[in-house]
Amino acid sequence: MKNIIPTQKLNCILLVDDDEADNEFHSIIIEEAEVAYSIKNANSAKLGLKYLNSIQGSTDKFVIPDLIFLDINMPGMTGFEFLQKCCENHLLDTISPVIIMLTTSVNPNDKITAEEKFAGLVKGFRVKPLTEKMLDGIMSEFFGNREASDFSGKEISQNLV
Amino acid sequence: MKSIPHSATLSYLFKSNYNLFEAAASPIIAEDLLGKVIFVNKNVTDILGYKSQELIGNDINSLMPETEWKAVKKRRLETSSGRKGIYDKRKFVTHKGEIVEFSDEMHPIFGFDKETIGFMHHLTQHKQEDVGALYALLESCKDGIMLLNMDGNILDANEPAENLFSLKKEEITGKPIGHIIAERSISRYEEYWKRKISHPNDLAGEFDVELYCRKKNGKEFPVEVTFIPLGDTIVMADFRDMSEKKQMERSLRSSNIQLKRFKSELQQYTYITSHNLREPLHVISNYIELLQKKYADKLDAKALHFMGHIVNSSDKMNSLLKDLLDFSSIDVYTRLDETDCKTVVGEILAENDSLLKSNNVKVNIGELPVITANAVGMKKVFYHLVNNACKFQKEQPEAEVAIDARENKKDWIFSVTDNGVGIDEQECKKIFLLFQRLHATEKYSGNGVGLAIAKKIVEMHGGKIWVESELGEGTTFYFSLPKYIPQ
């Protein structure tokens, strides 16, 4: 299959995107790439926040996201407002996940916002749809030296409610 | 010259009217045709510090600095050829050698045979502080300023005026102001001058006049001029260079034309894009539908689920494109008619009866006026506001929407109030943006176009739209429409 070695497999990836079809598609790509033990789909920024709140202090490492794919343009709460709330409530302090903005098109202003307000937090921008190649790149760029996890179960993609 | 025999006559004239001239409030000097002083009144002797017998019989030039001599000589010729009451700025020298400045109104004196036998200088001394203030003003002013006499002859000019016309004041003093006005503006200047000078208190008509003037090299340029009479002897002419303004007007005009072109191009672009994108989209949805129908039994649940996503997305795109098309075609609602808002709102409620009934919405309509507006546009505004009010309702037995209007001096303020879910204060700014949706939940459908359309139409009418809301209590949308809209 692909040249990803099992030691690099992530415990959990969180997808935050209001487009249900996009979220599902991205889950499928991640599942097939076999890069994570669990995938959490949040269909709104609010659900994403709720999830991050719920896992604070959890001892189950397979619920704690190593990587978050975050859409920007979402009704109700945008990706940046989501990040703002995360910072205000210290939701990422102990988790410190890699955050990648995953959007339909990259607006230069969004890049500026990310650099000015969330420098260090937002690690990159990717244009939808997520592909295996993109995932490979992200894995080798940010997760080159991870320790192996002792998870033996099947990959689980879960829709958050 | 026949001046000598006339001197006696002249002298006699003044002596016989001695008391009259002596009592005059202003300094008066009379000279004969040779320029010999024949008469001075007490004012003159007081100011200049001479006794009258020290002056009588002397050359009047001896009372003036040499620089004045030529001008006086020239003025004598003009005065005797019939131009009466010409004012000049004239310097005299006192006994102590100080310079005193007068405004000099020169009149010819006629003998018994109606021939000019001498000249009378009717002097007006400007108070020192007045003159000082005037000169300080002249020198400190950034506008080009010239002082003119009542005939429109230039007496003085400040430095900005010299720069404006690219000449030195020595080159123009004594010349009529027409000298620096371009041919094409002469009649306009004359008309303005006449109005300002002969009826200085008549405030009708424009305060300033725009003229084309000429620089020394003949180059014409636009100025704005104001003539301000200062007392009875001097007119201040204030020149402001309009070259830059004219240039800006020109560039503004051309920018405007360009802007209009861009706008129409953009409109066309949006229309064509949304129109053309819909065609391939229809093909996609048609064939997916066909797949679903004909092969449903051959496909597994997962495949059908995926196809569901395709159908939903193409439906969504179709409705987005339709809304975009609607939004871009608002600009056609420009014709203004007498529009009865009561009728407009009535029509909307009738057309959306089923929506209102299914959402259990009760609508209260206040007194709505007849206004000048685009009827189709107004209908869209009310439709989107009512639709919005119906959509964002709480779980409650009866939703209420109130439509009302209030009359102000210059505009109408309309309001659409609901008792729905309300909007967070922070979100209030965003809601009028195109494709902006505040709610993620499926409960509230829509693409976020309605309020953007309402805003665009209201603003096209010169009005404003805004919202006041309390979360959980309800929302009121307001929009203002000016009573008089320029076509």
Side-chain angles (χ1 to χ4, degrees), chain B residues 408-419:
Chain B
N408 277 349
K409 202 172 166 190
K410 286 184 179 166
D411 53 12
W412 289 98
I413 309 283
F414 293 87
S415 62
V416 178
T417 306
D418 65 54
N419 58 348

Side-chain angles (χ1 to χ4, degrees), chain A residues 41-76:
Chain A
N41 295 324
N43 279 336
S44 73
K46 280 191 178 124
L47 275 179
L49 272 185
K50 195 175 145 197
Y51 176 73
L52 288 180
N53 254 314
S54 72
I55 57 150
Q56 294 296 310
S58 171
T59 49
D60 178 2
K61 63 182 170 188
F62 297 109
V63 300
I64 295 172
D66 301 304
L67 175 61
I68 298 176
F69 285 111
L70 180 59
D71 187 20
I72 295 176
N73 189 14
M74 293 182 278

Side-chain angles (χ1 to χ4, degrees), chain A residues 21 24 28 44 75-76 81, chain B residues 305-306 309 427 430 437-439:
Chain A
E24 191 175 331
I28 294 170
S44 73
E81 287 164 344
Chain B
H305 174 70
F306 289 167
H309 281 321
E427 314 278 16
K430 295 203 285 189
R437 296 179 58 217
L438 299 185
H439 299 273

